[in-house]
Amino acid sequence: MQREGVCIIGYGETAYTNREERSLDVYLAEAMKGALDNAGISKEEVRGMAEGSMFLQEYTPHLAERLGLELDWVQRVDCGGASGIVSIRRAADAIQAGSLDVAVCLCGGARHLHPAGPTSLWARDYVDPFGAGGPAAAIAITQRVHMAKYGTTRQQLGKIAVSQRENALLNDKAYFRTPLTMEEYLNAEMIADPLGLYDCCRRVNGAAAVIVASERRARELSANPIYLVSDAERTNFQAKEQLIDGTLSGFSAFSDELFSRISREQIDFAQLYDGFPFVVLMQLEDLGFCKKGMGGSFIDSHDLTYKGDFPVNTGGGQLSSGQPAGGGSLLFVAEAVRQLRGEAGPRQVKNAKAGLVGGLGLFSYTSPIMCAAAMILERR
Amino acid sequence: MQAVKPKLPSMVELNDRTFWEGVQNEKFLLQRCSDCGRLQFPPGPVCRNCFGSHLFWEQACGRGTIYSFTAIHVPASPFFKQQIETSGRPIIQAFIDLEEQVRIVSEIVDCDPGELRLGARVSLMFQKIEGTDFKLPKFRVSG
Ligand SMILES: [Zn+2]
């Protein structure tokens, strides 16, 4: 939908690391503190909280209590890796409805915590007994179809991982800060064939936070608010069908509407959820940057680094930053706002005015993407 | 090496219990909707096509083809890690299109992943989980 009157005024991120074992609440607090500092506001200004960490062991109000927050609005979001964008959509809806003016969205994970909450019963009963390959196996099976049907190669997917690593070399919060070569990518240990080690994210600890505000309040509080232009989500795609095209995802259900105000050509960069390079390719195709099946040649013909003609995951994404267990999805939003404000330092995309953020999460029985969400942000 | 215990299906919902009881009797059961006639798997509380509630169980013939597959070398669970270490072979997890036009997830046994092709014909067999009496529906390449 097209969005009116909602801005992002601050973002914060912890370093992504597994050299220490702090608990999730500590990471979330640090990320929120960073976001408040970045916005230049006190925590009393925040009247609502949307929380999307999958492995949080308590309810959202309990977390709010730990952080000493008194709130008029609270929201739990459980869309896996789409939760970051979905949490911002929920906050934007509440702000537009007049329920509050300023909300914080929080997402993070800590490696030593494991999901104790709800899981997919179908995955547990009908997938896990056959190898427990997790999301990697579901992606691998779908990627193999794409490779067979469209001729997509591991080199093309490897370019995503290698380019993002180049971006990460300039991100001091990233977990991996040494170059990755195509040879290393191609020759790495197989995890779930055709996925190798560098197709998968390293689990780390970390969190990100974003402050969402009404345009009216944003203008009072912030010198450089970033505007939410349009946003959309889709849960389940082809859920009624049995023999689905698993290479096609819910992004295709809303992509034209998403770009109705700012076109694909006007996008200066894309921050796309990257649990695996293949899902970046799926987003590029299903969001309409190229025809279905042509993602491989799209990647071949563009420079995906921060200084390229189609910058993707300018901070390195999760493939290089690491994946905060069950809670990496706001990292992409934080990087988008940073770029649009011109605060990205050595990896700044020149004159970035509009950016795309994509998020996806949870896998269904025979489709690797259950929740798809995206939004467009703009500097005005 | 200490044997790691496998996780059995949780069977939280009633339909899941019916399906797994069928497997123990060496039957792979699908749900058919008597309103729109469609088959579905995994089982659920309603027909996912027409939302009808009149579902009955029907046994799959057990033949199908490989839609796609992966060879899992690094699994998430210690049980499968141990299985791979012991056998020295990855686990082949596949999406299989049954002749009934239903896609399911299963494992292909007695097969070298390098030899496996998309579209290969497979047939159903039942295999006990090591160290238990609990059967799983698996597949092998048929001629
Ligand atoms: Zn029906």
Side-chain angles (χ1 to χ4, degrees), chain B residues 55-105:
Chain B
L55 300 165
F56 58 92
W57 296 95
E58 202 170 291
Q59 189 178 349
C61 75
R63 289 183 303 272
T65 55
I66 302 272
Y67 173 69
S68 184
F69 68 93
T70 180
I72 300 171
H73 296 262
V74 183
S77 95
F79 174 76
F80 289 108
K81 250 175 218 153
Q82 194 167 79
Q83 187 181 312
I84 291 167
E85 276 167 24
T86 311
S87 71
R89 297 168 73 152
I91 294 165
I92 303 177
Q93 187 181 96
F95 288 3
I96 296 159
D97 289 352
L98 299 178
E99 272 183 16
E100 289 84 1
Q101 302 295 299
V102 170
R103 185 169 298 153
I104 63 157
V105 180

Side-chain angles (χ1 to χ4, degrees), chain A residues 121-122 124-133 137 140-141 144-145 148 189-193 240-244 246 365-366, chain B residues 9-11 16 19-20 38-43 48 68-71 73-76 80 93 95 97 101-105 137:
Chain A
L121 295 176
W122 277 3
R124 206 156 84 181
D125 279 18
Y126 301 112
V127 182
D128 290 353
F130 307 105
I141 292 172
R144 188 185 296 277
V145 174
E189 172 196 10
M190 275 293 153
I191 302 297
D193 195 352
K240 297 197 312 191
E241 308 298 323
Q242 290 292 321
L243 303 185
I244 62 166
Y365 182 59
T366 58
Chain B
S10 52
M11 293 178 260
D16 301 326
F19 171 78
W20 284 107
R38 286 259 292 255
L39 283 164
Q40 67 179 18
F41 189 82
R48 294 190 279 281
S68 184
F69 68 93
T70 180
H73 296 262
V74 183
F80 289 108
Q93 187 181 96
F95 288 3
D97 289 352
Q101 302 295 299
V102 170
R103 185 169 298 153
I104 63 157
V105 180

Side-chain angles (χ1 to χ4, degrees), chain A residues 65-366:
Chain A
E65 183 183 36
R66 278 172 195 274
L67 299 173
L69 299 175
E70 292 184 20
L71 302 171
D72 305 321
W73 179 87
V74 71
Q75 176 81 56
R76 173 96 184 124
V77 178
D78 56 358
C79 299
S83 297
I85 293 173
V86 172
S87 68
I88 291 169
R89 298 196 79 224
R90 299 291 177 273
D93 288 345
I95 286 167
Q96 274 188 319
S99 300
L100 77 165
D101 275 311
V102 181
V104 62
C105 298
L106 277 173
C107 241
R111 241 171 84 250
H112 57 286
L113 294 173
H114 284 283
T119 180
S120 158
L121 295 176
W122 277 3
R124 206 156 84 181
D125 279 18
Y126 301 112
V127 182
D128 290 353
F130 307 105
I139 294 294
I141 292 172
T142 308
Q143 179 176 319
R144 188 185 296 277
V145 174
H146 201 278
M147 290 168 80
K149 194 170 171 187
Y150 300 114
T152 306
T153 65
R154 288 201 68 224
Q155 278 85 349
Q156 289 168 333
L157 293 161
K159 186 177 172 186
I160 294 172
V162 170
S163 306
Q164 286 187 198
R165 184 62 62 84
E166 198 179 325
N167 296 338
L169 301 182
L170 300 170
N171 179 3
D172 58 14
K173 292 190 188 304
Y175 180 83
F176 289 109
R177 300 194 61 211
T178 50
L180 174 70
T181 66
M182 183 61 82
E183 288 65 39
E184 286 169 319
Y185 169 86
L186 291 172
N187 299 326
E189 172 196 10
M190 275 293 153
I191 302 297
D193 195 352
L195 298 189
L197 182 62
Y198 297 111
D199 286 297
C200 304
C201 298
R202 175 69 59 94
R203 280 265 168 117
V204 297
N205 302 330
V210 161
I211 311 286
V212 186
S214 64
E215 180 178 4
R216 183 187 62 76
R217 198 74 186 110
R219 283 170 181 278
E220 291 165 1
L221 294 171
S222 174
N224 48 2
I226 299 302
Y227 285 77
L228 183 50
V229 176
S230 58
D231 51 86
E233 71 188 73
R234 168 53 86 90
T235 290
N236 292 335
F237 190 65
Q238 312 174 81
K240 297 197 312 191
E241 308 298 323
Q242 290 292 321
L243 303 185
I244 62 166
D245 179 356
T247 68
L248 195 62
S249 70
F251 288 98
S252 61
F254 59 67
S255 78
D256 285 345
E257 192 197 341
L258 184 71
F259 292 104
S260 59
R261 221 189 225 173
I262 285 188
S263 71
R264 295 172 183 89
E265 292 70 33
Q266 290 172 283
I267 294 293
D268 297 305
F269 61 80
Q271 313 293 345
L272 302 175
Y273 192 90
D274 61 344
F276 308 88
F278 180 66
V279 298
V280 174
L281 176 140
M282 277 180 81
Q283 288 170 88
L284 290 170
E285 290 183 351
D286 293 348
L287 286 170
F289 287 94
C290 57
K291 269 177 41 190
K292 189 72 212 171
M294 299 301 284
S297 31
F298 182 88
I299 291 160
D300 279 338
S301 58
H302 290 281
D303 179 348
L304 308 178
T305 66
Y306 69 94
K307 53 187 186 308
D309 60 331
F310 195 89
V312 172
N313 292 337
T314 48
Q318 295 181 121
L319 288 167
S320 284
S321 283
Q323 180 170 47
S329 51
L330 279 176
L331 160 167
F332 302 88
V333 181
E335 178 67 10
V337 178
R338 182 184 287 120
Q339 288 285 352
L340 292 171
R341 282 189 167 184
E343 295 170 354
R347 65 176 191 277
Q348 179 66 46
V349 173
K350 271 196 200 119
N351 197 28
K353 203 172 166 297
L356 165 71
V357 189
L360 55 95
L362 307 180
F363 65 101
S364 69
Y365 182 59
T366 58

